[in-house]
Amino acid sequence: MNKKQYCTHFTNYWIRSAFSAFCLCALLLLLSGCLPGRKKNKEITITLWHTYVEQMRAAMDDLVAEFNATTGAEQGIIVKVTGVANASVINEKLIAAANKDPGAPGLPDMAVAYPDIAVILARTGALMDFGTQFSPEELSRYVPEFLEEGKLGGETLYLLPIAKSTEVLYVNKTFFERFAAETGVDWSCFETFEGILAAGEKYYAWTDAKTPDIPGDGKNFYYPDKLFNYAMIGMEQLGEHLVRDEALDFSGGAFRKIWDSYYTPAVRGSVAIFDNYGNYLAKYGEIVCVTSTSAGAMFYPDTVTYLNNTKEDVEFEILPYPVFKGGEKIAVQRGGGMLIAKSTPEREKAAAVFLKWFTAPKQNTAFAIKAGYLPVTKEAIRDFGKSDTLALIENKNVRKSTLTGIAMQSAYHFYFPPIFSGFDALQGKFSKAMQRAALEAKEKGGPVESAEALERFKREF
């Protein structure tokens, strides 16, 4: 090959190589733009506040990590979670942020909140309307009663349900069967509040008789974990409303029945007067049955520790919420929802992508199993009671609570309380005043006339 031929060959080789490299680069660029889920924009980090603890917090953290590693990574979305100390703290922070108080933190992109706080934030214009990011078809997948609460009494959806609970009846089976064997009381007593209260009187007398040298030391039988709910749901069951026009309504006859059902047994000693969660009473063997949230099943023990520090293994049964005789099957709907702060279209969309993923049946069922809640979509609720799903629930009390909650979802109406900014304070005042009235009468050594105590109670409101 002469010099001219060599130069021509080298030039052609270089041109062909350069063209091939150019084509390869072009192809790679084309593919990088076409591959599904390939990030084309800058990553967005969105923040989430919640008050979950223990298993619930772990369940949320696990799912957020899964989202960040999968769908989030594909779409350039990172969710950053902050656990806040408790509900009152997160409420204060959210309201301060929405009002832009000096020194207040900025609003998170998402937060777990209850309707009475969400309605305050909505009035400031701080919340996104979920209808802007969720289609009607997507929203139709949720349980309608769960979705309705998030509308805060209007037409705009400001809170998306992510997990729900109701109230159930926890019964120390070990204690009850021991009592029933000697007295003839049977399990049907737990179907109505009247049955529970009648059994409670017998239980107090039965335990008092165990120590004849110590008169008046009978044991409590029943405790309504949230006294306001006991009264509010009881009145709903009986066809009346405890709250009307953002105030308590005592005008009907049902409230007198509710009052008598709590006040007199509490003064006599068969119903507990206690300003905390009922699982504490259960833990120390101080109670037989408690109405409380279905999401609290994990806190009911396998062993009770008596005040003298001796222990006993026990078993709990978890039954549907009782009904006053002649009343409808109504139970309270509990559990917060998730709000999205109004910000930029990009941030709102990113938060919505996460919540669509989080509430999809697979993920929402995983969260519900670990956290002790019910899922929120029709499909997930329908499949939740299947044996292979229940087998994933390790805690036997959570498993029992789940089965009871599913059964109630089809047999009961789940009532959600009125939504207004002063509701939380109103129910707190109500519960304290009702307990105080019973406690004062008990400390005086006998039941003050129920009607007289009721009139004094009413004057506080």
Side-chain angles (χ1 to χ4, degrees):
M1 180 183 294
N2 58 36
K3 183 177 181 181
K4 182 177 179 180
Q5 289 174 321
Y6 176 84
C7 290
T8 301
H9 176 75
F10 178 82
T11 300
N12 290 340
Y13 174 81
W14 183 88
I15 291 173
R16 286 195 303 270
S17 298
F19 181 75
S20 297
F22 172 80
C23 290
L24 179 61
C25 289
L27 179 61
L28 289 173
L29 286 172
L30 180 63
L31 288 173
S32 68
C34 294
L35 284 172
R38 188 76 175 184
K39 290 181 287 185
K40 293 180 284 187
N41 301 316
K42 184 179 178 181
E43 285 184 338
I44 295 177
T45 298
I46 54 175
T47 53
L48 188 163
W49 289 2
H50 69 75
T51 58
Y52 295 133
V53 296
E54 297 184 14
Q55 291 99 321
M56 291 175 277
R57 178 167 188 159
M60 174 63 79
D61 290 347
D62 288 347
L63 281 168
V64 168
E66 181 183 341
F67 172 83
N68 287 340
T70 55
T71 300
E74 293 168 1
Q75 300 197 29
I77 302 168
I78 299 172
V79 177
K80 182 180 180 181
V81 178
T82 300
V84 183
N86 55 52
S88 61
V89 172
I90 198 171
N91 293 345
E92 290 173 5
K93 287 179 175 288
L94 288 172
I95 293 171
N99 291 332
K100 299 180 180 178
D101 292 346
L107 270 175
D109 295 289
M110 298 177 288
V112 175
Y114 286 86
D116 59 325
I117 296 302
V119 73
I120 298 174
L121 302 180
R123 287 172 183 165
T124 69
L127 301 187
M128 184 198 82
D129 170 9
F130 276 89
T132 62
Q133 293 291 342
F134 283 65
S135 70
E137 193 277 330
E138 288 173 324
L139 292 176
S140 71
R141 298 169 187 167
Y142 295 83
V143 175
E145 289 175 312
F146 295 166
L147 209 61
E148 192 64 29
E149 185 181 33
K151 295 180 181 179
L152 309 180
E155 297 299 322
T156 303
L157 183 64
Y158 289 116
L159 272 181
L160 188 75
I162 56 170
K164 286 292 181 180
S165 62
T166 184
E167 288 191 351
V168 294
L169 180 69
Y170 295 89
V171 181
N172 186 317
K173 180 181 178 181
T174 308
F175 284 13
F176 179 71
E177 289 188 339
R178 187 181 299 152
F179 160 63
E182 293 190 23
T183 61
V185 176
D186 63 48
W187 283 91
S188 64
C189 73
F190 296 115
E191 295 173 4
T192 65
F193 284 108
E194 288 87 349
I196 289 173
L197 298 172
E201 287 199 20
K202 292 181 180 179
Y203 184 76
Y204 182 88
W206 179 73
T207 51
D208 187 27
K210 296 290 183 183
T211 53
D213 55 323
I214 310 175
D217 69 337
K219 294 283 190 178
N220 300 143
F221 184 76
Y222 168 62
Y223 176 63
D225 205 353
K226 199 165 186 180
L227 187 53
F228 184 85
N229 284 354
Y230 172 81
M232 177 181 67
I233 297 302
M235 289 186 66
E236 290 295 326
Q237 290 179 351
L238 296 171
E240 296 184 16
H241 305 295
L242 178 59
V243 182
R244 195 185 300 273
D245 298 326
E246 300 188 8
L248 297 177
D249 184 359
F250 304 125
S251 61
F255 186 73
R256 176 60 191 271
K257 181 173 183 177
I258 300 296
W259 172 269
D260 288 342
S261 73
Y262 171 78
Y263 176 83
T264 302
V267 174
R268 290 178 178 170
S270 61
V271 170
I273 303 172
F274 185 64
D275 190 23
N276 211 321
Y277 297 113
N279 64 284
Y280 290 111
L281 293 174
K283 180 180 179 181
Y284 294 107
E286 292 295 302
I287 205 77
V288 174
C289 58
V290 178
T291 44
S292 186
T293 172
S294 59
M298 65 187 74
F299 300 111
Y300 282 80
D302 294 327
T303 303
V304 299
T305 303
Y306 296 105
L307 297 181
N308 63 6
N309 213 34
T310 59
K311 298 178 184 293
E312 180 183 8
D313 292 338
V314 296
E315 182 180 355
F316 277 85
E317 287 296 335
I318 303 176
L319 306 176
Y321 193 76
V323 178
F324 279 93
K325 284 184 179 178
E328 297 181 49
K329 287 186 174 182
I330 297 174
V332 73
Q333 175 177 307
R334 296 183 63 164
M338 191 79 78
L339 59 82
I340 294 179
K342 187 178 290 185
S343 55
T344 65
E346 293 77 18
R347 300 191 74 82
E348 291 176 9
K349 182 178 180 181
V353 167
F354 170 73
L355 288 181
K356 289 177 185 180
W357 179 89
F358 186 84
T359 57
K362 180 183 176 183
Q363 289 77 243
N364 203 219
T365 295
F367 179 70
I369 287 172
K370 293 180 181 178
Y373 281 80
L374 293 174
V376 295
T377 63
K378 299 172 188 175
E379 180 183 347
I381 282 278
R382 185 182 65 242
D383 296 340
F384 205 55
K386 292 182 177 178
S387 59
D388 55 343
T389 300
L390 292 173
L392 299 174
I393 303 176
E394 296 178 2
N395 185 294
K396 63 182 179 182
N397 284 336
V398 173
R399 196 180 310 123
K400 290 177 182 179
S401 176
T402 298
L403 282 169
T404 299
I406 292 170
M408 287 177 61
Q409 203 276 327
S410 59
Y412 281 63
H413 168 64
F414 283 170
Y415 171 83
F416 59 86
I419 299 167
F420 55 93
S421 58
F423 178 75
D424 195 47
L426 181 65
Q427 63 176 332
K429 181 180 178 181
F430 174 95
S431 297
K432 288 179 180 178
M434 202 166 180
Q435 285 188 329
R436 185 173 62 250
L439 184 60
E440 288 175 353
K442 186 175 183 179
E443 289 176 343
K444 289 177 180 178
V448 174
E449 219 300 288
S450 176
E452 177 187 331
L454 174 57
E455 289 308 311
R456 288 202 305 271
F457 170 83
K458 288 180 178 180
R459 286 196 289 271
E460 295 194 41
F461 297 92

